[in-house]
Amino acid sequence: MLDTIISLQPRTGGGGTGQTPDEIVGDVCDDLLARLPSRLDVTQAAEATFAKLEDGSMNPLGIFLSHEIEKFNRLLGAVSTMLKEMQRALKGLVVMSAQLDAAYANFLFQQVPTPWGEGGKGYPSLKPLASWSKDMIARFQFMRDWLTGGPPASFWISAFFFPQGFFTSALQAHARRYKLPIDMLRFAAEVMPYEGLADTPAPPDNGTYIHGMVMEGARFEVTRNAMAESRVGELFAPMNVVWLKPGDLNEARPAGWYDCPFYKTNVRAGTLSTTGHSTNHVCNFLLPSDIEPGHWIRRGAALISMTND
């Protein structure tokens, strides 16, 4: 039902489906509620998930995971509460509030309600409602797999509310392991031959693997270990697994490489949050290129966390 609603014309009698707008919205609510995942429960964590480091300190990635779980559970609560209230409002059991009325229109036109987005309990996303719901469920599943199965070989960077926090936690784990000052470390990016989590054999000895990004305005050719022109008709090129290798902050940076920005969405705009980070720009990755960086700047080449569909 949810996947086909975009083709409907509810304001003119249901687009030939024989359904009224109330029936369409009711079906959307039923469909979403039926597919909602269960809450993430830290009591189900695997032993390795929150295992302490060798020095006895808390695992920074485990702390990051616990913070993300809280955010996911808050989003789940907001989604579930609104859907149930909408069902009651459609039955006439409660008054249709302004917020529910806005969500009603969102459901009819395949849009994500504001309380579920970046301005509410959710994360930045430009996806329509059907794609957004699938993406949210996939994010929950990744977080649950990490929680109950321990840290994965590669982390789906697109799944996180706050990927900047993941980078800091991973760097902090390395700093504590080798007793190094974290303010003297930075990550260098190396693109691996693995396409995703399924074919990543094991985590690296140092640093961490991430996956899930796409590149807009260019692509990365692994066989040449260099950026290349986009293929004809390809708007977003999948990016292979990237190895975040901890290194010295003062180490010389390779000349002629492209300082590629990484954004959550391809709007490429955001505001500064209370943490001092942009709500959309995550970081920059220095990627090898045999073409001068200005070429990719003119192309607008950038890494994006997720597509819009």
Side-chain angles (χ1 to χ4, degrees), residues 23-293:
E23 289 173 335
I24 293 173
V25 172
D27 284 349
V28 171
C29 291
D30 293 342
D31 184 58
L32 283 172
L33 277 171
R35 294 193 289 144
L36 280 185
S38 58
R39 288 175 59 85
L40 297 167
D41 185 356
V42 293
T43 63
Q44 300 175 352
E47 184 177 351
T49 303
F50 298 111
K52 293 185 177 181
L53 301 181
E54 294 179 359
D55 62 0
S57 61
M58 295 294 293
N59 182 351
L61 284 176
I63 295 173
F64 168 78
L65 175 62
S66 65
H67 292 166
E68 288 286 307
I69 285 175
E70 290 179 8
K71 295 174 184 177
F72 273 102
N73 284 338
R74 283 199 296 268
L75 173 59
L76 182 65
V79 171
S80 177
T81 297
M82 176 176 282
L83 291 174
K84 291 175 181 177
E85 283 298 297
M86 181 68 76
Q87 288 179 324
R88 297 181 66 197
L90 291 173
K91 295 175 182 177
L93 300 177
V94 297
V95 175
M96 182 75 78
S97 66
Q99 186 180 75
L100 287 178
D101 188 59
Y104 183 97
N106 291 145
F107 291 156
L108 287 176
F109 295 106
Q110 188 63 226
Q111 298 167 344
V112 179
T114 301
W116 301 357
E118 184 181 5
K121 303 295 184 183
Y123 42 80
S125 176
L126 302 177
K127 294 179 179 292
L129 183 60
S131 298
W132 179 89
S133 66
K134 292 178 181 178
D135 177 68
M136 181 195 66
I137 292 169
R139 291 180 188 226
F140 262 90
Q141 188 57 53
F142 174 78
M143 302 303 287
R144 196 181 310 279
D145 290 344
W146 180 3
L147 178 67
T148 60
S154 177
F155 293 87
W156 184 24
I157 195 65
S158 310
F160 304 138
F161 274 77
F162 190 47
Q164 296 95 326
F166 173 81
F167 293 140
T168 300
S169 297
L171 204 59
Q172 188 175 43
H174 179 83
R176 290 183 180 179
R177 178 181 179 184
Y178 293 101
K179 298 179 174 56
L180 299 170
I182 190 172
D183 57 351
M184 296 302 293
L185 296 174
R186 67 173 175 85
F187 276 131
E190 180 176 329
V191 183
M192 306 301 291
Y194 320 127
E195 294 184 0
L197 176 59
D199 62 340
T200 302
D205 293 333
N206 288 309
T208 185
Y209 289 149
I210 61 172
H211 66 277
M213 298 181 289
V214 295
M215 183 172 283
E216 185 180 27
R219 62 187 175 89
F220 195 88
E221 197 168 282
V222 179
T223 55
R224 294 194 303 113
N225 190 37
M227 294 179 64
E229 297 288 356
S230 300
R231 295 186 177 92
V232 176
E234 185 177 53
L235 182 60
F236 297 106
M239 187 70 169
N240 273 24
V241 171
V242 174
W243 178 16
L244 301 179
K245 300 193 301 181
D248 190 337
L249 181 65
N250 297 319
E251 185 178 350
R253 295 159 66 90
W257 286 23
Y258 178 55
D259 204 16
C260 185
F262 172 36
Y263 298 97
K264 295 179 184 177
T265 70
N266 66 349
V267 166
R268 306 197 187 192
T271 58
L272 285 181
S273 64
T274 54
T275 63
H277 293 84
S278 169
T279 54
N280 195 23
H281 177 255
V282 179
C283 64
N284 282 21
F285 291 123
L286 198 62
L287 299 178
S289 172
D290 48 19
I291 304 175
E292 56 93 17

